[in-house]
Amino acid sequence: MDKIRIVGGNELKGTIPISGAKNAALPLMIASLLTEEKLILENVPRLADVALLQRILGNHGVDITTNGKRNGDDPYAGQTLEIDARVIVDTTAPYDLVSRMRASFWVLGPLLARIGVAKVSLPGGCAIGTRPVDFHLDALRALGAEIEIDAGYVVAKAPHGLKGARIVFPKVSVGATHTALMAATLARGDSIIENAAREPEVVDLADCLIKMGARISGAGSSTIHVEGVARLKAARHAVLPDRIETGTYAMATAMTGGDVMLAGARPDLLESALDALRQAGAEIDATNEGIRVRRNGAGILPVDVTTAPYPGFPTDLQAQFMALMTKAKGNSRITETIFENRFMHVQELARLGARIHLEGDSAVVEGVERLTGAPVMATDLRASVSLVIAGLAAEGETMVQRVYHLDRGFEKLEEKLSRCGAQIERISG
């Protein structure tokens, strides 16, 4: 099993290209199931989750051609996927695939909307919380689906097609919003989705669906209106830049000091996180090229943050910001409101010398003068990269184990950091 070895102490200086967003690419790929015509997606990141979803879609009969691997191509440019779901050979998504990536559960909505039947495994447990699928199923029932749970599978039928409806989510859910939005595009009549997620990835999905012929308004607000159409057509769409990767490298730069240009990044996608970084003492400047992040000799200031649905502080940057706060000059409080059990990185950061104690859904971080390298274990995708950030500023060697978590969401992580001066390498086996 691969490990990442880091020798801390180097400032980051240079340019880091920002990849396409994983959290946008996955629902966009799944949206291909809604049409018999080709969907071409550009700027798709090369990640383990993307490769797994290609396998899952292939299981349904979807043909995917990958471009962007020719000699001479920019190694950091995203790949282009040509996705052809003309023939659906199987409407079952088996447990062995769905259990490996929760987002694959979202095939339920498109399959049901287009084919009228779907059998999708319940995704099972998750390292960072239960994340139930009730909201997804309630939305599809509102659209007229007949749904049963049988031996761990959701068996859904809409023999006469889906019908437009009013869907009200009791709590904001990005995944359920994706499901409702995709299913409603092919439903007969109008649908209103209330308390919808406002995340940029939801807007990106809506933009792509509109290019495919869907009639959608209000994406990015809490109320989305969908006027159902009979069919969707071919389209070409570029995946938006990854705001979580952007925030992660911005926090790494603030942690180590230095001066990094995050090429292709869009500041409008993560304003709350950038505001927190400014309060911590980083200089953030938007340019035509992307976002420039600097921190000179001044120390890191403590900042309190509370995670919240967009446009609030992202839960997917909570662990990274906690790593930054471990070296702040004072105490900070980080409160997690989205997922339970999302503080598993605390014990690993403590191995590096961090002082953190938990108070319910909050972590109180007492900044320390120095961190010291140690072997640490990645527990989930975002927690694993927080250990990398801490390791970049720790004295001596940090060895991060279970880096397959990193490969799910960060493309060429060690290469991007090493080209900016970090002493970081992957050790195979």
Side-chain angles (χ1 to χ4, degrees):
M1 201 175 288
D2 288 3
K3 303 173 184 177
I4 286 182
R5 176 179 176 269
I6 305 163
V7 178
N10 293 0
E11 293 182 350
L12 296 180
K13 293 185 177 179
T15 298
I16 294 178
I18 298 302
S19 301
K22 173 183 88 89
N23 289 346
L26 300 180
L28 288 167
M29 292 169 66
I30 289 169
S32 67
L33 294 167
L34 291 164
T35 180
E36 298 176 1
E37 301 184 32
K38 273 188 183 179
L39 176 61
I40 299 175
L41 296 178
E42 301 171 342
N43 197 35
V44 178
R46 296 174 178 85
L47 299 170
D49 275 9
V50 170
L52 177 58
L53 184 54
Q54 287 181 254
R55 280 187 56 203
I56 291 166
L57 292 175
N59 187 66
H60 295 300
V62 179
D63 185 40
I64 302 177
T65 303
T66 304
N67 298 316
K69 294 183 178 178
R70 296 184 296 274
N71 289 335
D73 282 353
D74 180 350
Y76 296 101
Q79 58 189 339
T80 298
L81 302 183
E82 293 188 11
I83 310 176
D84 185 346
R86 182 170 57 251
V87 180
I88 302 297
V89 299
D90 193 344
T91 56
T92 298
Y95 173 74
D96 64 318
L97 293 177
V98 178
S99 62
R100 294 171 59 188
M101 185 176 64
R102 292 187 59 89
S104 59
F105 182 79
W106 302 342
V107 302
L108 179 64
L111 287 173
L112 188 61
R114 181 176 154 203
I115 309 298
V117 63
K119 182 179 179 182
V120 179
S121 169
L122 289 166
C126 176
I128 57 170
T130 53
R131 296 203 271 182
V133 297
D134 302 16
F135 295 173
H136 301 249
L137 304 186
D138 289 344
L140 295 174
R141 285 191 181 103
L143 294 168
E146 303 168 9
I147 296 177
E148 296 178 357
I149 309 297
D150 181 26
Y153 279 79
V154 175
V155 181
K157 298 176 183 176
H160 305 295
L162 298 176
K163 300 174 185 176
R166 181 170 174 261
I167 299 166
V168 182
F169 291 121
K171 183 179 177 182
V172 173
S173 166
V174 175
T177 301
H178 286 320
T179 290
L181 183 58
M182 287 190 280
T185 59
L186 294 181
R188 293 194 311 279
D190 292 2
S191 295
I192 302 291
I193 304 171
E194 296 186 20
N195 202 23
R198 299 165 58 190
E199 270 70 3
E201 295 80 15
V202 172
V203 178
D204 206 37
L205 174 61
D207 288 346
C208 180
L209 291 169
I210 289 168
K211 292 176 185 177
M212 295 165 70
R215 295 173 182 166
I216 300 167
S217 60
S221 75
S222 57
T223 302
I224 302 175
H225 179 223
V226 184
E227 183 183 342
V229 297
R231 59 187 297 273
L232 296 178
K233 60 187 181 186
R236 178 184 288 266
H237 182 79
V239 179
L240 88 173
D242 196 320
R243 63 193 173 100
I244 304 304
E245 185 190 34
T246 300
T248 297
Y249 289 128
M251 290 170 191
T253 304
M255 183 68 152
T256 64
D259 186 342
V260 173
M261 172 61 70
L262 303 175
R266 280 175 47 189
D268 60 301
L269 301 181
L270 68 161
E271 289 177 352
S272 62
L274 295 180
D275 286 345
L277 275 171
R278 288 189 182 96
Q279 293 175 50
E283 296 178 46
I284 313 283
D285 297 301
T287 73
N288 290 335
E289 188 181 346
I291 300 173
R292 184 181 180 188
V293 183
R294 290 171 285 175
R295 184 174 69 81
N296 54 27
I300 299 167
L301 301 176
V303 181
D304 296 344
V305 298
T306 298
T307 64
Y310 188 86
F313 190 94
T315 180
D316 280 353
L317 286 174
Q318 176 256 106
Q320 297 91 310
F321 196 76
M322 188 182 296
L324 176 64
M325 289 296 99
T326 61
K327 290 201 68 179
K329 295 183 174 180
N331 292 0
S332 57
R333 176 179 289 268
I334 297 172
T335 302
E336 174 60 59
T337 69
I338 308 298
F339 295 125
E340 72 274 26
N341 199 27
R342 205 170 198 182
F343 285 143
M344 290 184 294
H345 46 283
V346 168
Q347 295 305 317
E348 297 303 308
L349 288 171
R351 290 175 55 78
L352 301 174
R355 294 179 187 166
I356 307 168
H357 69 269
L358 300 180
E359 296 180 356
D361 61 358
S362 295
V364 177
V365 186
E366 180 185 342
V368 296
E369 280 288 327
R370 57 195 285 268
L371 299 174
T372 306
V376 290
M377 189 81 71
T379 53
D380 65 63
L381 168 55
R382 308 307 176 185
S384 58
V385 83
S386 75
L387 303 177
V388 172
I389 290 173
L392 291 171
E395 297 175 8
E397 178 182 291
T398 297
M399 192 76 75
V400 183
Q401 302 178 57
R402 288 190 185 167
V403 298
Y404 60 84
H405 287 295
L406 283 168
D407 295 334
R408 291 185 47 225
F410 291 93
E411 181 177 5
K412 300 180 184 290
L413 174 99
E414 60 272 23
E415 293 179 36
K416 290 183 178 183
L417 287 170
S418 63
R419 65 184 281 194
C420 288
Q423 195 171 334
I424 179 172
E425 62 178 339
R426 179 177 293 248
I427 300 173
S428 298

